[in-house]
């Protein structure tokens, strides 16, 4: 069996984390800071693809450092390049944000109406994945909140991001119907997580009592 999200890989998520308290790659923090500043109203955010060469240029610049950079350095790029950089990075890491071996745990949790089951599934993630998932869904939740302007309601955003964020094992010779069912499950997980209230992604939610990102040192 192979993971459906397997791509050209560049290392584990942990390899790009420098802060042991908040194990989130600075590349993602830098991109999210830029998007949250003045790009959340961009129509088609995360859906419109950027120019490949520009995405790779920004990706290379940000992967080379574990520091928080000046926002102007990122804001010179268009929105689709910044979101493209985020998606490219998440595709390249060794395991997706939600690794394939936890797919069933997340699917069962998201198939339930009980929020505590989602919380339990998140706590099963390795700390870098756990911290990064909480951080990124806080951002993606803000994208959804601005959907009247950016035209990216929850369902659209889930379809765009699910194959990148949610890992799933599939047989190499899997039939089309089965592959389609797997994709639908990925989208269902993504939709359920995106439907969680904004405050959920700000509460203490990690193995070591992760504090609210509202007061995180990553925000500038």
């Amino acid at each position: 069996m192979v993971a459906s999200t397997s791509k050209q890989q560049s290392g584990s998520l942990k390899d790009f984390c420098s802060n042991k308290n908040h194990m989130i790659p600075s590349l993602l923090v830098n991109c999210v800071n830029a998007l949250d500043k003045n790009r959340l109203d961009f129509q088609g955010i995360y859906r419109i693809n950027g120019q490949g060469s520009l995405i790779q240029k920004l990706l290379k610049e940000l992967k080379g450092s574990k520091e928080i950079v000046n926002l102007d350095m990122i804001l010179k790029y268009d929105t689709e390049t910044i979101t493209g950089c985020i998606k490219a990075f998440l595709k390249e890491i060794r395991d997706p944000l939600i690794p394939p071996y936890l797919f069933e745990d997340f699917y069962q949790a998201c198939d339930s109406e009980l929020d505590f089951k989602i919380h339990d599934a998140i706590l099963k993630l390795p700390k870098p994945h756990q911290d990064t998932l909480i951080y990124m869904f806080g951002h993606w939740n803000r994208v959804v909140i601005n959907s009247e302007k950016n035209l990216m309601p929850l369902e659209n955003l889930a379809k765009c991001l699910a194959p990148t964020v949610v890992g799933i094992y599939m047989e190499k010779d899997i039939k089309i119907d089965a592959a389609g069912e797997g994709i639908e499950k990925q989208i269902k997980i993504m939709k359920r997580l995106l439907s969680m209230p904004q405050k959920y992604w700000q509460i203490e939610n990690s193995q070591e009592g992760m504090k609210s990102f509202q007061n995180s040192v990553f925000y500038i």
Side-chain angles (χ1 to χ4, degrees), residues 89-142:
F89 176 76
L90 292 176
K91 286 178 181 178
E92 288 184 3
I93 54 176
R94 186 173 301 148
D95 285 317
L97 205 49
I98 297 177
Y101 65 84
L102 286 176
F103 172 81
E104 284 299 330
D105 294 80
F106 271 86
Y107 183 72
Q108 294 299 324
C110 292
D111 198 37
S112 167
E113 295 182 358
L114 303 175
D115 290 351
F116 78 86
K117 290 190 175 183
I118 293 178
H119 183 80
D120 290 346
I122 292 173
L123 291 179
K124 293 180 181 179
L125 290 167
K127 183 169 174 55
H129 289 252
Q130 183 183 133
D131 289 0
T132 303
L133 181 140
I134 293 168
Y135 181 74
M136 292 306 301
F137 272 93
H139 161 66
W140 290 326
N141 188 279
R142 292 189 289 276

Side-chain angles (χ1 to χ4, degrees), residues 16 18 25-27 29-30 62 64-70 218:
F16 298 94
S18 59
S26 58
L27 179 149
V29 176
N30 284 318
L62 294 179
S65 172
K66 291 185 177 181
E67 303 298 325
I68 303 302
V69 302
N70 189 299
F218 287 127

Side-chain angles (χ1 to χ4, degrees), residues 125-168:
L125 290 167
K127 183 169 174 55
H129 289 252
Q130 183 183 133
D131 289 0
T132 303
L133 181 140
I134 293 168
Y135 181 74
M136 292 306 301
F137 272 93
H139 161 66
W140 290 326
N141 188 279
R142 292 189 289 276
V143 172
V144 171
I145 289 173
N146 285 272
S147 62
E148 287 191 5
K149 294 182 178 179
N150 61 40
L151 305 182
M152 286 297 290
L154 185 151
E155 293 80 5
N156 291 7
L157 188 63
K159 289 178 181 179
C160 289
L161 295 174
T164 299
V165 174
V166 184
I168 183 174

